[in-house]
Amino acid sequence: MEDQKPQFQNQSSISQLLWFFGIAATFKILLIPSYHSTDFEVHRHWLALTHSLPLSQWYLDETSPWTLDYPPFFAYFEYFLSFFARFVDPQIVHIHEGLNYKSNAVIYFQRVSVILSDLSLLYGVYRLTRNLEPRKKVLLWVLVVWSPGLVIVDNMHFQYNGFLLGLQLLSISYLQEGRDLMGGFFFAVLLCFKHLFAVAAPVFFVYLLRHYCWKGLVKGFGRLSAMGAVVVAVFAASYGPFSYHGQIQQVLARLFPFGRGLCHAYWAPNFWVFYIILDKGLTFLLRKLGLEIKAPATSFTGGLVGDSSHFIILPEITPSTTFVMVLLSLSPCLIRAWKNPRPGSVCRWIAYAYTCGFLFGWHVHEKASLHFIIPLAIVAAQNSEDARHYFLLSIASEILGDNSFIRLMMRDVTFFYAASCYSLFPLLYEAQEYPIKALLLILHSVLMWYGFSAQFTPAEKSGEELKSKGGSGSVVQKRGFHIGWAGKSYLFGLLLIEIWGQILHPLLLGDKLPFLPLLLVSLYCAMQMMYSWIWQLRWIMMST
């Protein structure tokens, strides 16, 4: 009977998780006719490209401006989907006649392919939550399976981030279980699907070297060889055929197009927003002082690939500069991972690594916030009981209560999550999508609020417990989820910015300064992103 109980609980969890997935899938199906970006045609063309051309021409083809610039495993994934697309409508996979094809058949096929590929995310969430208590399990399902950011990016704007994040969660789940070889395998697979996840590669390298391979000369060398063999095998399966055709250089040129410029779009809320604004401010000031300064022909707000602007006053930023900045910001995390390679800390280190890449990286897409917001949500939902082990807050604990810092952590994660989702709003700029994205954020924030609050229900301390601490009587200690005046001010600021962009700016300024609403969104969200980075860095620096 005791052996049957965990099995019954797992079956119950699977059925409940499928219910969550079914609700999400139903909502996503309703969004099929909604707006989609040029990424929709990008992926349709990749279906046609991989289906119509031999493998040796995949990374050479220039039939469309949307050339293949994802690693080979994703190309194989598109090739797999193309066989089903051909049965739905042969024109979808026609290399020439399919260009800019927008029939209902292609729309429904590609939308449904994203929904079904989210089964990878579902399995990753299941592995991470199968041993958690019910409240934390449900909270994590809400944060990940019902993530509004994923809905906006994948099911409206159009991408396959849920599928890729599922691989990321699988890797994390195996590392947390101490199965490092499997964790390394899934991370290598993930890199061969999308190379932008490589920002966390230093964390994986240091952690696996210290935790898995640092076991003495003989045993350590054997483990290092095993891990190396797994990684080499994955990359050989991915890049081997293109190496055979002598195309590795071409593949790498497509994967790392450094000519695209520092910023993908002005409103990606990272550190470079402040750098750009400083450059623009200095330019404006010097012109007011009578200096003639020539403005660049391109604009930071264009958001088009290749439409990159140059700085006027401040020094140009190179890819090597951003690489050094990311590595320097990562160094405290790498030091902690080497000194104390705890499996329970892997998720927070990975979240921190992707935060560093988002804030200081080169040509960062606004959608890259999903890379760290999902692991960070997992840290908040799954490992809140470990927070006290990571901060030397014994004095504050006595004053504010045992779980005071955990409450602050939950609050900051909530704001960070909201800022990340809100920063994606400009992706859906058409008026008919505005109610959808606003409701997604509001409803999910409410669910997240109640989910976090459930972790800290009010508790009445007994008389004996109070007397032992010098108290008397019966006192109720509130452990609810509070945001305080700072949090309320931040949320009120978000509301003011949205009112300005949607109502006041068109009424007062009309077509003047069209970049201003976007700039305010970017600047405000970037401030929260920087705060969260400092908060995570402090978390890591004070860890034991």
Side-chain angles (χ1 to χ4, degrees):
M1 292 296 292
E2 293 180 359
D3 294 336
Q4 293 177 357
K5 188 174 181 180
Q7 184 177 359
F8 174 76
Q9 291 176 343
N10 285 335
Q11 291 176 351
S12 178
S13 295
I14 293 173
S15 62
Q16 291 175 354
L17 183 56
L18 287 174
W19 180 84
F20 268 78
F21 178 77
I23 295 293
T26 301
F27 180 75
K28 293 170 183 178
I29 289 172
L30 295 176
L31 294 176
I32 285 178
S34 64
Y35 160 83
H36 58 78
S37 70
T38 53
D39 279 347
F40 193 87
E41 170 60 16
V42 170
H43 288 277
R44 190 223 52 84
H45 179 66
W46 291 356
L47 290 173
L49 181 156
T50 54
H51 189 87
S52 303
L53 300 177
L55 180 144
S56 59
Q57 298 181 32
W58 286 1
Y59 286 91
L60 298 174
D61 176 73
E62 295 184 351
T63 305
S64 165
W66 315 119
T67 54
L68 184 60
D69 58 3
Y70 272 36
F73 271 179
F74 200 92
Y76 302 154
F77 173 67
E78 296 278 7
Y79 180 60
F80 170 76
L81 291 179
S82 71
F83 286 97
F84 300 96
R86 181 176 177 274
F87 285 108
V88 173
D89 186 344
Q91 191 170 343
I92 296 176
V93 294
H94 198 286
I95 190 68
H96 296 292
E97 295 180 7
L99 290 174
N100 299 311
Y101 187 44
K102 296 180 180 179
S103 72
N104 288 334
V106 67
I107 291 174
Y108 275 85
F109 173 78
Q110 291 195 219
R111 293 290 200 195
V112 171
S113 71
V114 172
I115 296 172
L116 292 178
S117 68
D118 281 346
L119 290 172
S120 165
L121 180 68
L122 195 70
Y123 183 60
V125 172
Y126 166 72
R127 289 204 89 261
L128 272 171
T129 62
R130 57 183 177 174
N131 296 321
L132 294 181
E133 62 182 68
R135 283 192 302 182
K136 291 182 180 179
K137 190 178 297 185
V138 171
L139 175 58
L140 207 151
W141 295 347
V142 169
L143 293 175
V144 178
V145 180
W146 287 356
S147 168
L150 278 174
V151 174
I152 289 174
V153 175
D154 284 6
N155 303 103
M156 299 179 74
H157 183 270
F158 194 82
Q159 278 193 349
Y160 289 88
N161 289 285
F163 166 65
L164 300 172
L165 287 169
L167 296 175
Q168 183 190 74
L169 298 187
L170 281 174
S171 177
I172 293 172
S173 70
Y174 280 111
L175 292 181
Q176 288 185 345
E177 294 174 2
R179 300 174 64 182
D180 292 343
L181 202 60
M182 287 296 294
F185 167 77
F186 275 103
F187 183 67
V189 170
L190 176 61
L191 294 185
C192 291
F193 270 99
K194 192 169 184 178
H195 54 300
L196 299 182
F197 283 92
V199 175
V203 173
F204 275 84
F205 176 79
V206 171
Y207 173 78
L208 291 174
L209 180 63
R210 187 72 171 90
H211 186 263
Y212 181 73
C213 302
W214 209 258
K215 303 294 182 181
L217 183 61
V218 177
K219 186 177 180 181
F221 180 76
R223 289 193 169 192
L224 181 63
S225 301
M227 183 65 70
V230 167
V231 174
V232 169
V234 171
F235 276 82
S238 178
Y239 291 90
F242 301 95
S243 177
Y244 175 79
H245 291 288
Q247 295 180 5
I248 288 298
Q249 186 174 357
Q250 174 65 19
V251 172
L252 294 179
R254 289 280 181 88
L255 297 184
F256 301 99
F258 291 117
R260 289 183 175 182
L262 174 64
C263 299
H264 174 259
Y266 197 12
W267 38 267
N270 60 12
F271 172 79
W272 303 116
V273 170
F274 304 104
Y275 195 82
I276 292 169
I277 291 174
L278 180 59
D279 184 75
K280 297 291 188 183
L282 290 174
T283 302
F284 176 79
L285 180 62
L286 293 177
R287 283 175 178 167
K288 286 293 183 182
L289 293 176
L291 298 177
E292 289 195 17
I293 300 174
K294 185 178 179 181
T298 52
S299 168
F300 282 107
T301 59
L304 298 175
V305 174
D307 182 24
S308 60
S309 180
H310 296 282
F311 294 101
I312 303 173
I313 305 298
L314 297 179
E316 289 292 331
I317 302 298
T318 63
S320 58
T321 302
T322 61
F323 176 79
V324 171
M325 288 185 66
V326 172
L327 199 58
L328 285 175
S329 62
L330 263 177
S331 56
C333 176
L334 300 180
I335 293 171
R336 289 296 176 184
W338 179 263
K339 286 185 175 180
N340 189 14
R342 297 173 66 249
S345 301
V346 167
C347 192
R348 64 194 59 164
W349 291 336
I350 291 172
Y352 176 77
Y354 287 124
T355 305
C356 293
F358 181 85
L359 287 175
F360 306 111
W362 176 268
H363 195 72
V364 175
H365 291 230
E366 60 288 339
K367 301 176 285 290
S369 63
L370 294 172
H371 294 181
F372 59 81
I373 202 61
I374 297 298
L376 190 61
I378 291 167
V379 170
Q382 184 177 354
N383 293 321
S384 60
E385 71 278 2
D386 290 338
R388 68 188 68 198
H389 296 300
Y390 285 82
F391 280 85
L392 306 176
L393 292 176
S394 57
I395 297 176
S397 177
E398 289 297 323
I399 297 173
L400 300 175
D402 294 340
N403 290 325
S404 59
F405 180 74
I406 302 176
R407 292 200 302 273
L408 292 175
M409 179 191 71
M410 297 296 192
R411 182 198 70 186
D412 291 334
V413 169
T414 302
F415 294 154
F416 194 31
Y417 206 94
S420 174
C421 182
Y422 181 68
S423 70
L424 298 173
F425 271 29
L427 286 174
L428 309 177
Y429 55 84
E430 295 184 351
Q432 59 267 29
E433 269 74 43
Y434 185 81
I436 299 175
K437 62 186 182 183
L439 285 173
L440 276 172
L441 178 57
I442 293 171
L443 290 174
H444 197 265
S445 297
V446 170
L447 287 172
M448 184 165 48
W449 179 274
Y450 280 107
F452 282 145
S453 296
Q455 303 295 322
F456 302 98
T457 55
E460 184 174 353
K461 291 193 174 184
S462 65
E464 290 78 6
E465 188 177 357
L466 287 166
K467 289 178 181 178
S468 67
K469 293 189 176 183
S472 62
S474 178
V475 178
V476 175
Q477 183 185 29
K478 292 184 179 180
R479 298 187 180 185
F481 187 55
H482 306 290
I483 63 172
W485 67 268
K488 292 175 182 177
S489 300
Y490 176 77
L491 294 177
F492 185 67
L494 280 181
L495 180 61
L496 290 180
I497 289 175
E498 192 63 10
I499 291 174
W500 170 263
Q502 298 299 321
I503 301 174
L504 297 181
H505 186 95
L507 286 177
L508 300 177
L509 298 180
D511 295 333
K512 297 179 181 178
L513 303 176
F515 63 87
L516 186 57
L518 211 57
L519 172 62
L520 292 176
V521 172
S522 180
L523 181 61
Y524 202 69
C525 291
M527 291 170 60
Q528 176 63 22
M529 297 292 182
M530 289 298 298
Y531 167 73
S532 179
W533 171 71
I534 295 171
W535 167 70
Q536 291 183 66
L537 178 61
R538 181 170 176 259
W539 192 354
I540 289 171
M541 293 295 291
M542 298 183 70
S543 63
T544 55

